[in-house]
């Protein structure tokens, strides 16, 4: 799978294609450090003074590298896909090698950080159900009133939560149809492409 870079991202990385191997290695180190601890504007200023360029050029370059490393780590690109993804930017072979080594060294740490930042939503654990049917009452001797009781058990980390729901067969059939339609929609090419990019 290739990483598709938009034009703005390519422009941010353009300055880095012209720097030396040592400067790129330092930019990669700073990018990984910023992913772990957050950005520090003073570092941008210091690097800009050493290189003799404007602060926003250094800032855009490091942010572009951060985005490149984050997305490559999220998609777990292999070496061929990573090299092909950055081919259109214009890096020399030496710079490509430095970028790839930085990616290999940091991708597991970056993935761990991305997992910690992702939302942890409650997920399904178990469902118990019971069918109750009222067949008569004092006023109505011949009636059928089915009710379905559902006990939904969800888990959020180490905590479990139990929710009791009540519905009738018509609503249950409607909910089942809606969920089946959603599952069918997930098999479409458009949804598969979106899900592939989310993972």
């Amino acid at each position: 799978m290739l990483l598709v870079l938009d034009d703005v991202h390519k422009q941010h990385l353009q300055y880095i294609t012209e720097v030396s191997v040592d400067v790129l290695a330092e930019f990669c180190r700073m990018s990984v450090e910023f992913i772990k601890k957050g950005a520090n504007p003073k570092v941008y200023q210091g690097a800009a003074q050493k290189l003799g360029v404007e602060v926003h050029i250094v800032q855009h370059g490091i942010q572009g590298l951060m985005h490149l490393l984050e997305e490559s780590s999220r998609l777990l690109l292999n070496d061929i896909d990573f090299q092909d993804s950055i081919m259109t930017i214009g890096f020399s072979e030496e710079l490509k090698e430095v970028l790839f080594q930085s990616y290999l060294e940091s991708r597991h740490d970056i993935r761990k950080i991305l997992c910690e930042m992702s939302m942890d939503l409650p997920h399904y654990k178990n469902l118990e159900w019971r069918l109750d049917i009222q067949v008569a009452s004092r006023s109505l001797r011949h009636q059928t009133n089915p009710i379905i009781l559902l006990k939904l058990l969800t888990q959020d980390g180490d905590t479990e939560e139990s929710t009791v729901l009540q519905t009738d067969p018509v609503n249950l059939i409607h909910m089942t149809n809606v969920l089946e339609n959603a599952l069918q929609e997930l098999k479409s090419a458009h949804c598969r492409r979106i899900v592939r990019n989310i993972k």
Side-chain angles (χ1 to χ4, degrees):
M1 174 189 305
L2 291 179
L3 177 63
V4 180
L5 305 173
D6 59 24
D7 292 336
V8 175
H9 189 196
K10 289 178 183 176
Q11 287 174 358
H12 287 177
L13 291 171
Q14 198 59 48
Y15 170 72
I16 299 175
T17 61
E18 303 163 2
V19 298
S20 66
V21 171
D22 294 335
V23 172
L24 180 61
E26 183 63 20
F27 273 30
C28 289
R29 187 195 64 76
M30 286 190 293
S31 297
V32 172
E33 198 66 26
F34 286 175
I35 291 171
K36 292 178 180 177
K37 298 180 180 176
N40 186 352
K42 291 180 182 177
V43 175
Y44 295 140
Q45 292 172 349
Q49 286 176 353
K50 286 180 184 176
L51 295 171
V53 295
E54 295 181 24
V55 176
H56 72 88
I57 293 175
V58 173
Q59 181 178 357
H60 287 164
I62 291 176
Q63 288 175 347
L65 272 178
M66 287 169 55
H67 179 71
L68 177 68
L69 293 172
E70 284 175 355
E71 290 301 306
S72 301
S73 300
R74 185 177 63 82
L75 297 172
L76 267 181
L77 297 182
N78 59 29
D79 55 346
I80 296 171
D81 289 342
F82 184 82
Q83 300 279 357
D84 290 346
S85 297
I86 61 174
M87 186 183 301
T88 59
I89 301 171
F91 287 104
S92 65
E93 290 302 319
E94 295 86 8
L95 296 181
K96 283 182 187 176
E97 188 60 34
V98 170
L99 267 177
F100 183 62
Q101 287 305 318
S102 176
Y103 164 65
L104 284 181
E105 292 169 5
S106 61
R107 68 178 168 186
H108 294 297
D109 292 335
I110 294 173
R111 280 186 66 81
K112 185 177 177 184
I113 292 167
L114 292 175
C115 286
E116 289 171 359
M117 291 171 55
S118 65
M119 293 191 320
D120 190 18
L121 299 174
H123 60 276
Y124 169 85
K125 184 170 184 185
N126 194 14
L127 178 69
E128 299 175 10
W129 61 275
R130 184 177 79 200
L131 178 63
D132 287 341
I133 300 176
Q134 183 178 1
V135 292
S137 65
R138 286 186 187 175
S139 56
L140 295 170
R141 292 195 167 185
H142 302 291
Q143 69 170 351
T144 306
N145 188 15
I147 294 176
I148 300 168
L149 293 173
L150 304 166
K151 183 179 179 184
L152 178 64
L153 193 63
T154 56
Q155 188 167 6
D156 187 6
D158 295 333
T159 59
E160 292 181 358
E161 185 176 335
S162 178
T163 308
V164 178
L165 307 166
Q166 177 179 321
T167 186
D168 59 1
V170 175
N171 279 331
L172 186 61
I173 290 171
H174 174 69
M175 287 189 289
T176 305
N177 290 337
V178 169
L179 290 172
E180 284 178 356
N181 289 339
L183 287 173
Q184 289 300 321
E185 181 69 25
L186 229 119
K187 294 177 183 175
S188 70
H190 177 68
C191 284
R192 282 200 311 262
R193 191 168 46 248
I194 291 172
V195 168
R196 188 171 58 240
N197 288 329
I198 290 174
K199 289 182 181 176

